Amino acid sequence: MAEVLQLPDAEDRETIYIALLPQIKNLIAAEQDLIANLANITAVLHQAFNFFWVGFYRRIDDELVLAPFQGTLACTRIHLSQGVCGASASQKQTIIVPDVDLFPGHIACSSASRSEIVVPLEYAGEVQLVLDIDSDQIDDFSTIDAFYLEQIIELIKQRHFDSFKHKYQE
């Protein structure tokens, strides 16, 4: 069954996020596979906001490995000591970068990227994955984006708690 995204006729991001949250919750509730849900979440965010790049990186050992995304070609592996994604995973916190050219150690997967937000998903004291969103506009992200993207990360964590728990039982 195909899903249909219902977007409000609004310009402000907060109104759009408020409309998206229950839709994302319903969308991922119907699917057990983490990767399938990450793929749909990237599609929803890309379609709703027309961001330049939206994607996830999964943590495997000391690297972040590319997972589902929407946008141009991406860096495949990022060490935890590199870039905005590595900083977010290492610091276990959301990072908003208004101008990526001013972020020390920024990894330029695309020269069109101008600002970035990265939101980590932490389980058992370790970041399991990060949501990375790039914009081709300077200073395109705010605390409103952080607030709602963190809620989306929490939905993923709740829905796939068993996936993350299983990793620690092996």
Side-chain angles (χ1 to χ4, degrees):
M1 179 176 97
E3 297 291 334
V4 177
L5 186 60
Q6 301 294 322
L7 294 173
D9 190 20
E11 294 289 322
D12 72 290
R13 284 194 187 165
E14 187 163 28
T15 300
I16 298 169
Y17 280 120
I18 289 168
L20 289 181
L21 281 172
Q23 293 180 76
I24 290 172
K25 185 175 183 177
N26 289 337
L27 183 65
I28 69 174
E31 177 55 55
Q32 292 182 8
D33 186 77
L34 172 64
I35 299 301
N37 282 333
L38 297 180
N40 269 334
I41 290 168
T42 60
V44 166
L45 293 171
H46 194 264
Q47 181 180 341
F49 298 105
N50 197 29
F51 290 130
F52 176 73
W53 196 92
V54 179
F56 288 93
Y57 283 90
R58 295 178 304 131
R59 182 176 179 165
I60 300 174
D61 299 321
D62 288 335
E63 291 184 307
L64 297 168
V65 179
L66 185 64
F69 72 94
Q70 297 267 323
T72 60
L73 287 175
C75 299
T76 305
R77 292 179 181 267
I78 300 171
H79 194 275
L80 291 178
S81 65
Q82 297 177 314
V84 183
C85 289
S88 175
S90 297
Q91 296 171 24
K92 301 177 184 176
Q93 66 183 19
T94 299
I95 296 178
I96 298 172
V97 180
D99 183 344
V100 295
D101 291 336
L102 302 178
F103 187 87
H106 175 256
I107 301 169
C109 296
S110 170
S111 61
S113 178
R114 305 297 296 137
S115 60
E116 185 171 1
I117 184 170
V118 180
V119 183
L121 184 152
E122 185 180 350
Y123 176 81
E126 193 172 289
V127 170
Q128 304 299 312
L129 57 83
V130 297
L131 169 58
D132 180 21
I133 303 178
D134 292 8
S135 173
D136 56 4
Q137 305 295 315
I138 294 279
D139 200 19
D140 199 20
F141 301 105
S142 72
T143 55
I144 289 172
D145 295 290
F147 177 79
Y148 289 102
L149 294 171
E150 287 169 356
Q151 289 188 44
I152 292 169
I153 287 292
E154 191 57 35
L155 289 175
I156 297 166
K157 187 175 179 178
Q158 290 170 5
R159 174 65 182 98
H160 292 286
F161 175 81
D162 290 340
S163 297
F164 302 121
K165 182 178 174 185
H166 178 72
K167 179 179 174 180
Y168 289 93
Q169 292 176 339
E170 295 176 343

